[in-house]
């Protein structure tokens, strides 16, 4: 079992600078949808972006987390806060 | 010995991926998908109108295990085009909507929305009319 806060926290901890919005799509703590915006995605193919997320939950997807639907985004450079630019 | 079997299975899967330009590993069959994610992926592929091979992973849990080892992708469905993993339901849907999937598969982007594929058999209506005939007798 997992919850949205745990999933969000783990994604953001694994990908510094990332923001994740996670929802429990059915309300059963088992099917989740995550929209992840991360600077690490820049220049990667979708499959590579998703793999970065899958790695965080290795062994749990399809098991204790039945489904994690993922949408990946690269942060919009224009609107990125000053602090995030290094 | 079990190692030998799993290697053999993995090689067989690799061969399938290699030999079929478009191949979908799914739960159930395109006619009768056994999971919503597989059903949605099938609907997208059907909408594109490109022929594809489909493999049901449900009959033997080792298929899924070996496939995931091979592709480094944990979930089902998995779509491969020209030997490369394109993705699961999320990526396939996203790429369909953006038109990327049509271009990867070398087909025209259809104007219509993909028709939902329901697991329910369509034979129902035929049976119903058959019953009606029986009633008339």
């Amino acid at each position: 079992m997992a919850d949205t806060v745990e999933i969000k926290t783990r994604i953001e901890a694994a990908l510094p600078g990332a923001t994740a919005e996670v929802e429990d799509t059915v309300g059963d703590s088992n099917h989740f949808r995550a929209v992840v915006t991360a600077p690490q995605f820049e220049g990667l193919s979708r499959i590579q972006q998703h793999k970065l997320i899958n790695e965080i939950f290795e062994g749990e997807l399809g098991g204790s987390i039945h489904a994690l639907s993922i949408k990946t985004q690269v942060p919009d450079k224009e609107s990125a806060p000053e602090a995030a630019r290094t | 010995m079990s190692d030998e079997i799993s290697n053999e299975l993995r090689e067989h899967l690799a061969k399938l991926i290699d030999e079929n330009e478009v191949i979908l590993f799914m739960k159930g069959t395109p006619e009768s998908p056994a999971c919503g994610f597989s059903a949605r992926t099938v609907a997208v592929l059907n909408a594109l109108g490109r022929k594809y091979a489909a493999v049901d992973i449900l009959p033997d849990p080792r298929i899924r295990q070996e496939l995931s080892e091979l592709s480094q992708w944990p979930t089902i469905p998995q779509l491969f085009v020209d030997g490369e993993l394109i993705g699961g339901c999320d990526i396939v849907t996203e790429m369909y909507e953006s038109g990327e999937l049509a271009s990867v598969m070398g087909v025209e982007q259809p104007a219509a929305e993909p028709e939902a594929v329901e697991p329910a058999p369509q034979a129902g209506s035929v049976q119903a009319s058959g019953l009606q005939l029986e009633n008339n007798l």
Side-chain angles (χ1 to χ4, degrees), chain A residues 1 12 26 37 42 44 49 52 57 68 80-81 84 86:
Chain A
M1 291 293 252
E12 291 179 353
V26 206
T37 309
E42 181 97 53
L44 298 183
Q49 294 173 348
L52 283 180
F57 303 100
L68 176 63
T86 44

Side-chain angles (χ1 to χ4, degrees), chain B residues 4-21:
Chain B
E4 227 167 80
I5 294 171
S6 85
N7 283 343
E8 216 170 279
L9 180 57
R10 203 182 297 184
E11 270 169 36
H12 180 64
L13 292 170
K15 196 160 166 262
L16 282 175
I17 293 166
D18 191 48
E19 286 174 351
N20 293 279
E21 280 176 37

Side-chain angles (χ1 to χ4, degrees), chain A residues 46-47 50-51 54 69-70, chain B residues 71 73 86 90 94 100:
Chain A
R46 275 205 187 76
I47 204 91
H50 281 236
K51 277 184 174 173
N54 289 343
S69 173
I70 300 168
Chain B
S71 61
W73 192 257
I86 297 297
D90 292 331
E94 212 180 312
E100 279 169 88

Side-chain angles (χ1 to χ4, degrees), chain B residues 19-42:
Chain B
E19 286 174 351
N20 293 279
E21 280 176 37
V22 183
I23 182 165
L24 177 69
F25 292 89
M26 63 180 291
K27 292 183 181 175
T29 63
E31 293 74 30
S32 179
C35 165
F37 298 103
S38 288
R40 216 180 307 157
T41 309
V42 161

